[in-house]
Amino acid sequence: MEREMRYAVLIDADNVAAKYTKNILDELSNYGIVTYKRVYGDWTRPNLAGWKNMALDNAVTPVQQYSYTTGKNATDSAMIIDAMDILYSNNVDGFCIVSSDSDFTRLAIRLRESGKHVIGMGEKKTPKPFSTACNAFKYLEVLAEEELQSIGESDKVELKTLESAIIRIIAENANLQEEINIGELGSRLQGRYPDFDVRNYGYSKFSQFLKDFDSLSFRQVGSSILVSQKTRERDLENVESVLAAIVRTNGSKGYNLGELKKQLCAKLPDFNLKTYGYSKFSRFVENLPSFKIKNNTVLIVKD
């Protein structure tokens, strides 16, 4: 039987509300065993009183850290020192750093450089540098299952970005049947976007999240789900039509290959060669029946 991963969870009480304690520990249990549970703060401050019962109920060790100097965050320093002590003890396989403070970005990077798996947790206000420095990042509001707002414009942009990334991953890693295992797809997507979590968008399963993208197809093989991109014939016809219109603006002279690519991308910002299985624009164009390339110039061969 494979040994479970061991984690140290270090919580910044100055930047995290006590109400999230159980959510943090429940989520971390999905990854392995929590061997260190510590929460850091100046417990003489009234605003941290809520942590007392939460720490006792969940067997979290409170670490007292006085604020020696105004404007300096002593809690951050104490957490970082303890994290390095635990790292050198070699008693854990990973760390969970719970804070919405970007000051822990360098710590996350250092722990990953030492081969440790780093999970970050914080509120949605957490600066991007900290969330992307972790192997995975979880938003506390989502873990607490607070009511999600309806998808706004920013969420739609994020979903469009994720869809483009998914299509690129499929194009770059698919098998001969142009399919990829859903588990590998999820791992590669998490690698590109450490703060990605389907729960951020109101889903509980990655498979259901994917099935809401009209651009993807699915095939069940035994217990595995294979994901592929839907046929892009209609899109390809549209690209070919736009290319033809651009080339025709120069009459029979044809159009410079490099300039043609720039004009196409300006008219179709979502155009991506890898979507169609190509890495070179010249290869893509010469395989379209309407065009030929001569001396780096694109010509229409039939009208």
Side-chain angles (χ1 to χ4, degrees):
M1 184 177 177
E2 188 176 347
R3 180 179 66 81
E4 284 194 85
M5 296 271 285
R6 297 167 300 176
Y7 284 87
V9 58
L10 309 178
I11 304 171
D12 176 8
D14 291 337
N15 281 287
V16 174
K19 64 180 180 179
Y20 293 122
T21 308
K22 190 173 186 307
N23 305 119
I24 292 165
L25 298 175
D26 286 350
E27 177 66 15
L28 200 53
S29 69
N30 295 325
Y31 290 86
I33 300 170
V34 181
T35 55
Y36 291 84
K37 292 188 287 186
R38 297 178 183 175
V39 57
Y40 298 77
D42 183 353
W43 308 111
T44 63
R45 293 167 53 190
N47 65 317
L48 296 186
W51 271 104
K52 181 179 179 181
N53 288 335
M54 280 295 185
L56 288 172
D57 291 345
N58 294 279
V60 180
T61 302
V63 179
Q64 171 64 35
Q65 186 57 52
Y66 293 103
S67 300
Y68 297 110
T69 307
T70 302
K72 299 291 184 181
N73 196 332
T75 297
D76 291 5
S77 299
M79 281 180 63
I80 292 169
I81 291 169
D82 273 11
M84 297 310 294
D85 285 344
I86 295 170
L87 171 66
Y88 291 128
S89 75
N90 205 30
N91 288 327
V92 298
D93 305 296
F95 288 81
C96 179
I97 306 298
V98 187
S99 179
S100 301
D101 192 339
S102 63
D103 288 349
F104 293 103
T105 302
R106 186 68 189 93
L107 173 62
I109 293 171
R110 177 66 181 82
L111 295 173
R112 289 186 66 180
E113 288 174 346
S114 296
K116 302 302 181 183
H117 188 257
V118 180
I119 300 168
M121 295 188 192
E123 295 179 345
K124 289 188 175 181
K125 64 183 180 180
T126 303
K128 201 71 174 175
F130 177 39
S131 63
T132 54
C134 302
N135 292 100
F137 194 89
K138 307 295 178 180
Y139 291 114
L140 295 172
E141 297 95 330
V142 176
L143 296 183
E145 296 181 349
E146 292 183 353
E147 185 176 351
L148 293 173
Q149 297 178 350
S150 58
I151 294 180
E153 287 304 314
S154 61
D155 295 309
K156 291 178 182 177
V157 171
E158 284 182 16
L159 287 171
K160 190 67 178 175
T161 300
L162 287 171
E163 184 177 15
S164 297
I166 289 166
I167 290 171
R168 286 198 303 272
I169 291 170
I170 293 172
E172 293 166 2
N173 301 281
N175 57 22
L176 293 176
Q177 286 74 43
E178 298 185 350
E179 297 171 316
I180 186 172
N181 183 279
I182 194 170
E184 181 184 353
L185 176 59
S187 296
R188 291 186 180 277
L189 187 63
Q190 182 86 66
R192 296 188 184 202
Y193 300 97
D195 60 349
F196 170 73
D197 191 320
V198 295
R199 291 171 295 189
N200 296 347
Y201 306 96
Y203 297 85
S204 61
K205 293 183 178 180
F206 183 53
S207 58
Q208 191 57 54
F209 171 78
L210 292 178
K211 286 177 180 177
D212 273 2
F213 288 117
D214 293 334
S215 58
L216 302 178
S217 292
F218 304 86
R219 186 165 69 94
Q220 186 88 33
V221 179
S223 60
S224 300
I225 298 176
L226 299 177
V227 186
S228 61
Q229 189 179 3
K230 283 184 180 175
T231 303
R232 300 299 296 265
E233 288 181 5
R234 187 171 298 175
D235 286 349
L236 189 58
E237 289 173 3
N238 182 49
V239 171
E240 193 169 1
S241 174
V242 172
L243 284 172
I246 298 170
V247 174
R248 286 196 190 98
T249 61
N250 264 2
S252 60
K253 296 178 183 178
Y255 217 94
N256 176 269
L257 184 66
E259 187 60 32
L260 180 61
K261 183 179 180 182
K262 289 180 183 178
Q263 292 296 326
L264 176 65
C265 291
K267 292 181 180 293
L268 301 175
D270 291 334
F271 173 74
N272 189 318
L273 280 173
K274 291 180 179 178
T275 298
Y276 305 96
Y278 294 91
S279 59
K280 291 185 177 181
F281 185 61
S282 58
R283 290 288 186 194
F284 171 74
V285 173
E286 66 187 11
N287 277 283
L288 294 173
S290 302
F291 306 99
K292 67 177 181 180
I293 300 175
K294 185 177 181 180
N295 298 325
N296 214 40
T297 299
V298 181
L299 303 164
I300 295 178
V301 295
K302 64 177 183 178
D303 215 351

